[in-house]
Structure formats: structure tokens, C-alpha cells
Amino acid sequence: MSFKKDFVWGSATASYQIEGAAFEDGKGWNIWDVFTHEGGHVYGNHTGDVACDHYHRFKEDIKLMKELGMKAYRFSVNWARIMPTGEGAVNEKGIAFYNELIDELLANGIEPYLTLYHWELPYDLYKQGGFLNPKIADWFYDYASVIAERFSDRVKHFFTLNEPQCIIGLGYLSGEQAPGLKTGKKDIFQMIYNLLRAHGKCVSALREKSVQPVKIGLASCGNTYYPASDSPEDIEATRYATFHMINDSLHEAVWNFATFMDPIYLGEYPKELREYFGDVLIELTEEDKKLISQPLDFYGQNNYNSAEIKAGKDGKPEIVNRYDGFPETMMLWPVTPEGLYWAPKFIYERYQKPFFITENGLASMDWVHVDGKVKDYGRIDFLQRYLRALKRAAEDGADIAGYFQWSFMDNFEWALGYAKRFGLVYVDYETQERIPKESAYFYKEVMETNGENL
């Protein structure tokens, strides 16, 4: 069997990771510009100042996307390129760049999927408190209004946020990523509340200001699991772990995706948040619920790995320790294709929305071989295993709408700089040469056959 006939095949990127041109044509500073230029935060003190120089080479890149069979492309818009201070004046040169990008995609038969926020908070908004300031919802509304008014005549699919768990968990809990803070639980829950309202305001703007009917969702991440066996007990324990906190730590609260997705899709916080964090949790008013849980058209999940669960005492979920030598990627993430069956299955059961895998892929040890090829056979095996699992989820009744491989090309991997390569296309950062890897040709065949031969 293959995936459904209108299945969406594509790849994904994020603006700061590929565009470069960090200080050209009126773009303002964002938190990643500041974070990287401060030094000491990123491997090798690398920055995204140039990255893949996609800002100047997007036509070349889109031509290559077409040659490699891409049907859809998920990209993000850099808020500070559109509105340099995050509010007020619009930068027409930034608008022009994204207009040309969208037009070029459509001219090459590639459907644009636009993410409004992939971590590039304008620095001027950060100085006003950023996600700690309740005004973030209104700032996001105004930004989303510009996006809708300028691009919705051609873009039909929008993601409001990418990985709210990472926005909070890496930016403000662990401090690993921009803006690099370590805040307490009171601030964490204030930001979660503000971020949820910002999402809702973004949806409102897109619905109100778009010039044609559009489809809206967001891209989540968070902890996902698969059962240690096919026993009903292990499966039920895994289902429970997927949507409930296993312990009462702040880390668990932030990385349990139901913390964000339940309010958005069901209109309520998970019950454990009230039980464990009732002293700092900002309860949702009826007005909040109406704003935050406006109907969405699809659900997006970024998934790279999952943990194994077994039923312990009284059926409670327990994480199974991995054996020594368990397969890992260059990120030291376990290779767990089972997660691309069980996570979509459970999430679709709960939220009942067409389901996209919005990111999936791996960092592997890639280099150009003496014959000029990049022979990333590990990535081919990885993709085949994960896509087989996703296909099984579709065959078992989940409405699997599409798959975006991460990433189209090697890029700036956040705090790891250019040390890790996730791309289907190899990028020589000294020359900016692009070389499709062997996995790109494998994925092209998968797309051409709609996964028939996986």
C-alpha cells in the first residue's frame, strides 16, 4: 500500500538557520543574532550571519528542490526581517524577499507552508520582556496580520509556532538556546500562558486578514513514547505517558506536549498541571479558552526519537533503560522508528486532526567522498525505517496528511553551530556549493512513488 493520494511530501528549514544576510536590507536584530554574537554560547562561536546564504541563493536552492522532487516546502519567516523592531514599521525589502521566494516556489510547482515563528524573536521585543510581557499576544497579532495581508493570496497553509516546548524549555528553562536564560517556575508558567494567547491571536489574525481561505496549525514536539511490547498493559501505559506527566518536575511540565496542545486543541490544561503547579499556573478564563482553542485545520509534530515504556506497578508507565550500544545518531539521539507509528496513532486519537510530521531526520557523519558523492547510507536506512512506521500508522486509521523531512540542506544547528549535518543536500560553507546526498535521491524516489516501495 501507499500513502493517500493527496499525501504531502516535502522538506523543511528555518530562516535563521539558512538565510544569512543577518544585517542586510533593513533587517533588525533578533535574539539569535545577539546570542551568537555575545560569544560562548554556540559551538565554535559560530553565527548565522551567512549560514547557507539562502537569502541570495534561494532561486538556486528552489531549482534544486524541484530537481529532487520536492512537492512542498515548509519554511519560516524571520519576524525581524519583516518588522525590524517587532512592531510598527514594515520593512518592504524583507517583504520583497519573501514574495520572491513564494513566487519562485509556486513557479516550480512547490507548495509553500509558512511558519510564522521559528524562534527568531525580534530583540527589541525581548528588551520589553518578550514572552514574559502579556503584550506578546498583540505583537504577534500585528505581525501575523502583515503576513496574512502580504502573502495569503498565494500561501494557503500556515504554522503559527514551531515547537513551543523548545521556545520555553531551551530558551528559558535550561538556557541552552537564545535568549539563554534560566528562569523559575513562576516565569515559566507566565510565558506558557502568554505564548498560548499569542498563538490564539495569530490564528485570529490569519482568519481575519487572509485574502482567501487558509489552513492553520502549529508544529509541536515534546516527549513521545512507544510500548515495550504489544501487551494491552504496555500499550495503555504508553498512551497514558504520552498525555500525562510521569513526575512533578518542571522539566516534565514543559516537555510534555499536552501542556501546550491540550489548551490549544481541547481548551483545557492537563489535570496534572493544576495538581503539581496550581500555585503558579495561570488559569484560563473562558475568554482565554475561546481565543486559544480556536479550531485548527491540522496538527503538526516534530519527531526525531521516542522513549520506550512498560507497564510497572499498578499499570503505571515506566521508562525502559536502553541497552549499551543502542543505535544513535550524531546528536546522540536514539534511533527509534517505532515512535513514528505510536505517536501519530495516539495523537490522532486524542485531537482528531489531519496529522503532519513537520520534522523528522537525523544528523549523520557526512562528507564528500573521493568520487564527489556524499554517501549517507545511514540516513537512507533511518528514513526508510521511520517512513515505514508512519505508513503503518496511516494504514491503521490515523489521518496522516504529510511528511516534511528535516532538513532540505545542512544548516546552522542552533547551539551546535555547523558541527552537525541534517540535510538531504550537503553544503560546503566555505564555497556555498550544494551537493545532493545519496539520501536525496532515495527520498526523491519515495516521493515519486508515494511511498509505495518502502
Side-chain angles (χ1 to χ4, degrees):
M1 288 180 64
S2 60
F3 293 92
K4 62 183 184 178
K5 291 182 179 180
D6 60 349
F7 191 84
V8 177
W9 291 102
S11 59
T13 64
S15 61
Y16 187 78
Q17 294 183 266
I18 66 166
E19 283 178 5
F23 310 107
E24 293 185 33
D25 292 340
K27 176 190 162 292
W29 284 69
N30 64 42
I31 56 174
W32 273 96
D33 296 319
V34 175
F35 190 69
T36 57
H37 278 263
E38 284 178 342
H41 299 306
V42 176
Y43 174 86
N45 286 326
H46 298 167
T47 76
D49 289 1
V50 176
C52 305
D53 198 28
H54 180 69
Y55 187 81
H56 300 110
R57 300 170 183 265
F58 70 92
K59 290 186 178 180
E60 168 193 343
D61 290 335
I62 292 171
K63 179 182 178 183
L64 187 55
M65 289 180 197
K66 181 179 181 180
E67 291 173 359
L68 294 174
M70 297 296 159
K71 310 300 182 186
Y73 176 50
R74 178 180 168 240
F75 66 98
S76 74
V77 172
N78 192 317
W79 190 339
R81 198 180 293 284
I82 296 290
M83 303 170 78
T85 66
E87 57 182 335
V90 173
N91 177 25
E92 293 298 333
K93 289 185 178 180
I95 294 287
F97 166 69
Y98 291 112
N99 270 328
E100 289 187 51
L101 174 68
I102 292 164
D103 289 344
E104 194 72 15
L105 288 167
L106 293 171
N108 284 274
I110 300 169
E111 187 72 18
Y113 283 69
L114 189 155
T115 303
L116 278 86
Y117 187 79
H118 199 132
W119 311 351
E120 314 94 343
L121 185 70
Y123 187 61
D124 283 290
L125 298 187
Y126 168 76
K127 289 190 292 184
Q128 296 183 58
F131 285 103
L132 266 175
N133 190 332
K135 290 182 180 178
I136 189 73
D138 295 323
W139 295 330
F140 207 7
Y141 177 89
D142 293 341
Y143 165 55
S145 295
V146 173
I147 297 294
E149 290 164 353
R150 300 300 191 98
F151 305 133
S152 68
D153 58 328
R154 289 151 294 153
V155 179
K156 301 175 184 177
H157 300 86
F158 294 91
F159 297 88
T160 60
L161 301 166
N162 181 77
E163 298 182 334
Q165 298 85 353
C166 287
I167 295 169
I168 304 300
L170 298 180
Y172 300 92
L173 183 60
S174 72
E176 296 171 47
Q177 297 191 0
L181 303 182
K182 296 182 180 181
T183 63
K185 63 180 181 179
K186 188 174 180 62
D187 284 353
I188 291 293
F189 282 102
Q190 179 68 60
M191 286 187 284
I192 289 173
Y193 174 77
N194 292 344
L195 186 148
L196 289 170
R197 293 193 75 256
H199 159 81
K201 285 280 191 174
C202 181
V203 175
S204 295
L206 292 172
R207 298 288 189 209
E208 293 166 9
K209 304 296 179 67
S210 291
V211 301
Q212 64 175 325
V214 297
K215 294 187 176 181
I216 306 170
L218 76 163
S220 180
C221 63
N223 298 329
T224 59
Y225 305 95
Y226 62 93
S229 75
D230 289 333
S231 74
E233 294 79 12
D234 284 349
I235 291 173
E236 188 52 42
T238 306
R239 180 183 283 108
Y240 182 90
T242 301
F243 302 106
H244 298 83
M245 294 172 59
I246 295 179
N247 58 56
D248 62 356
S249 70
L250 186 56
H251 180 277
E252 181 75 9
V254 169
W255 289 101
N256 185 324
F257 65 83
T259 295
F260 299 89
M261 297 303 108
D262 273 16
I264 288 171
Y265 285 95
L266 304 180
E268 297 283 355
Y269 282 126
K271 65 177 184 178
E272 287 92 347
L273 286 186
R274 292 191 185 88
E275 294 174 4
Y276 298 148
F277 299 101
D279 58 330
V280 291
L281 183 67
I282 300 176
E283 284 291 349
L284 304 178
T285 66
E286 290 304 314
E287 182 180 351
D288 289 334
K289 293 175 183 178
K290 184 177 180 181
L291 174 68
I292 293 166
S293 65
Q294 293 176 76
L296 297 178
D297 300 291
F298 53 83
Y299 181 102
Q301 182 75 17
N302 298 351
N303 185 288
Y304 295 89
N305 64 87
S306 303
E308 186 176 354
I309 291 286
K310 67 177 181 180
K313 186 177 180 180
D314 300 326
K316 292 182 179 180
E318 295 181 358
I319 294 177
V320 177
N321 292 327
R322 300 186 182 101
Y323 59 81
D324 293 344
F326 196 95
E328 293 180 335
T329 72
M330 287 296 292
M331 293 289 285
L332 304 183
W333 294 346
V335 178
T336 54
E338 301 92 339
L340 235 61
Y341 171 75
W342 291 101
K345 175 182 174 64
F346 291 147
I347 293 169
Y348 179 70
E349 284 176 359
R350 189 173 183 87
Y351 301 128
Q352 291 292 300
K353 293 292 182 182
F355 185 99
F356 284 92
I357 289 293
T358 36
E359 291 181 22
N360 171 249
L362 83 159
S364 66
M365 192 178 291
D366 302 333
W367 66 87
V368 181
H369 289 224
V370 292
D371 59 3
K373 296 180 179 181
V374 182
K375 302 176 183 180
D376 59 334
Y377 299 123
R379 182 172 286 106
I380 291 174
D381 184 76
F382 180 99
L383 292 177
Q384 187 168 33
R385 290 174 186 271
Y386 276 73
L387 286 170
R388 281 178 176 176
L390 185 63
K391 188 176 180 182
R392 180 185 164 206
E395 292 169 348
D396 283 359
D399 183 3
I400 310 298
Y403 173 89
F404 292 90
Q405 197 274 342
W406 185 272
S407 172
F408 174 68
M409 57 185 168
D410 295 336
N411 53 52
F412 177 84
E413 184 46 43
W414 304 116
L416 296 173
Y418 301 100
K420 306 298 179 185
R421 294 181 177 271
F422 273 88
L424 294 168
V425 174
Y426 183 93
V427 177
D428 183 322
Y429 297 112
E430 289 190 330
T431 66
Q432 292 296 339
E433 181 184 6
R434 274 73 159 140
I435 303 173
K437 304 175 187 179
E438 293 301 296
S439 60
Y441 300 110
F442 166 80
Y443 188 48
K444 179 181 181 182
E445 182 179 354
V446 170
M447 292 186 286
E448 288 174 345
T449 60
N450 200 28
E452 187 90 29
N453 301 324
L454 284 168

